[in-house]
Amino acid sequence: MASVGGTTEDASASGDQEGWQFPGASLVATVVWRKILKEHPSLVDLFVNSNPDHIRDARGRFPELDSTLDEHHQFFGDGYIHLKGAVPMEQVNNALRHINACIGRGDLDRTIPDPTMVGLPSNHASSPAITDLFNDSKSRLPTVVQDLLGRGNLDPSSTMHAQVALRFPSAAVKASEVAARSAQALKDGKGWHIDGFGDGHHSAFALLVGVCLSDTDGDPNVVSGNFAVHPGAHWTLQSEVKTAVSSPDGGAASLTRIDGSSKRATDLGPPVVLRMKKGDVVIAHQKLPHRGMPNFSPNIRYQCYFRIRHSRHAALRAEWLDDLMLPFEGTRAIMV
């Protein structure tokens, strides 16, 4: 079987698309990879017929990298990576101290339509206690994000504000109902959304970076506000998104219809629910369908989200619809 880094003889020459393997990618993403490469043969030379030594030596040639080849493969194929322990506990605790102080004072943003969701006002969400989750020198995030975007391509202004997302327990759910309600949520393939689509914006930023501030890795049969994704669906929805954006209404209404909040949204099947611990981080492609699961635990789910832009975001925005990896120059350079 051919793998990324295989040779022309064992891959394209044999036409063995079904045998291609992609290290670091899930089974779902592997299927998506094969479909993409079968439909776009020009990508074979880029991602399959590369010299294996070239790939194997990537970290040696770029010794400053803080990301692994597997992480780049997973980001390309699945559309996200889960970094364990990427933010030190010191920064996590500083953020929790700040958030809990705001809760105690009643400094909360209650304008979110979901009654179980509460945020912090903009001035508190821009506090150093929050932004240091990304920007502190001990955090792994700045270097990993720049590995994806390419060094020097991170818009620093996009790291100076975060969405503080507190998902409170669903009080209406009785203890006897938790298992059944969780099972139902775990099977829901239409609860997803793509940030910006509900407002008619197709490319509002490049990366969604979610920092976990409370453990969500408990009972696997109970959802506790976990971040959940549909791996590879940024690829499978690409043509639908392009069609919507080019529609006569300018894309706004059509994008709203694509969004998972619409009754006409595509059923993407059961999501992959991430079981994260304090200090873990999820980095997701902006066009990856995702959702916040309900919280049937007895605890508040604490999470902070940064929406990261490429430094040339405005210039890249239009062409990004045709090339989903356009802003991720670092990933492209590593994989070629």
Side-chain angles (χ1 to χ4, degrees):
M1 290 186 178
S3 64
V4 171
T7 63
T8 303
E9 288 75 23
D10 61 13
S12 74
S14 66
D16 184 23
Q17 294 97 336
E18 300 306 316
W20 286 337
Q21 303 295 313
F22 304 94
S26 69
L27 177 61
V28 173
T30 296
V31 173
V32 173
W33 267 83
R34 290 170 178 166
K35 182 175 184 295
I36 293 166
L37 294 177
K38 196 169 185 177
E39 294 177 352
H40 302 280
S42 62
L43 293 178
V44 172
D45 284 335
L46 192 62
F47 294 111
V48 176
N49 296 334
S50 307
N51 184 308
D53 291 330
H54 173 86
I55 289 181
R56 207 162 28 237
D57 292 345
R59 288 184 65 86
R61 291 190 306 110
F62 303 102
E64 75 279 9
L65 288 182
D66 193 34
S67 54
T68 67
L69 182 60
D70 282 355
E71 287 169 346
H72 284 275
H73 278 300
Q74 185 181 16
F75 178 73
F76 181 94
D78 285 349
Y80 78 97
I81 49 179
H82 175 185
L83 304 177
K84 295 184 178 181
V87 177
M89 281 299 106
E90 179 183 352
Q91 279 65 50
V92 169
N93 289 332
N94 285 343
L96 287 171
R97 190 176 297 111
H98 175 73
I99 294 169
N100 287 332
C102 289
I103 293 175
R105 293 192 302 266
D107 292 335
L108 300 171
D109 177 6
R110 299 182 181 275
T111 62
I112 304 170
D114 184 341
T116 68
M117 283 290 291
V118 174
L120 294 190
S122 180
N123 59 318
H124 291 300
S126 301
S127 163
I130 300 299
T131 58
D132 278 355
L133 291 168
F134 190 102
N135 294 312
D136 189 89
S137 60
K138 300 182 186 70
S139 172
R140 190 183 170 204
L141 294 186
T143 50
V144 173
V145 166
Q146 291 202 73
D147 285 351
L148 297 173
L149 294 173
R151 294 299 168 95
N153 290 333
L154 169 63
D155 177 356
S157 69
S158 62
T159 73
M160 301 310 295
H161 177 84
Q163 175 197 0
V164 177
L166 309 178
R167 187 174 290 275
F168 284 76
S170 301
V173 178
K174 299 177 182 178
S176 59
E177 301 172 335
V178 167
R181 291 286 296 275
S182 293
Q184 182 181 13
L186 290 168
K187 293 187 292 186
D188 182 10
K190 299 187 71 171
W192 57 271
H193 68 276
I194 297 175
D195 286 9
F197 280 21
D199 300 319
H201 304 299
H202 64 77
S203 301
F205 54 92
L207 290 168
L208 180 66
V209 178
V211 182
C212 181
L213 302 179
S214 57
D215 295 346
T216 60
D217 64 339
D219 187 339
N221 297 313
V222 176
V223 292
S224 50
N226 311 65
F227 188 85
V229 296
H230 291 278
H234 57 314
W235 292 108
T236 56
L237 290 176
Q238 183 182 13
S239 61
E240 191 174 352
V241 172
K242 288 175 61 178
T243 299
V245 172
S246 62
S247 64
D249 64 14
S254 296
L255 281 173
T256 301
R257 287 194 293 272
I258 289 175
D259 194 69
S261 58
S262 168
K263 293 181 179 179
R264 288 183 284 180
T266 301
D267 188 333
L268 296 175
V272 171
V273 177
L274 302 189
R275 307 288 176 178
M276 302 174 71
K277 297 184 75 67
K278 290 181 181 180
D280 285 5
V281 174
V282 58
I283 300 179
H285 192 291
Q286 183 265 336
K287 291 181 176 58
L288 181 71
H290 61 275
R291 68 171 296 183
M293 300 298 282
N295 186 1
F296 298 142
S297 80
N299 306 308
I300 300 171
R301 191 287 318 267
Y302 293 77
Q303 191 111 339
C304 287
Y305 293 102
F306 294 86
R307 289 169 172 81
I308 303 300
R309 294 186 300 273
H310 190 287
S311 58
R312 292 183 290 110
H313 175 76
L316 298 175
R317 186 174 177 271
E319 294 181 35
W320 192 12
L321 292 172
D322 294 312
D323 181 355
L324 292 184
M325 297 307 291
L326 183 64
F328 307 109
E329 298 171 25
T331 296
R332 294 169 69 103
I334 292 300
M335 296 178 71
V336 173

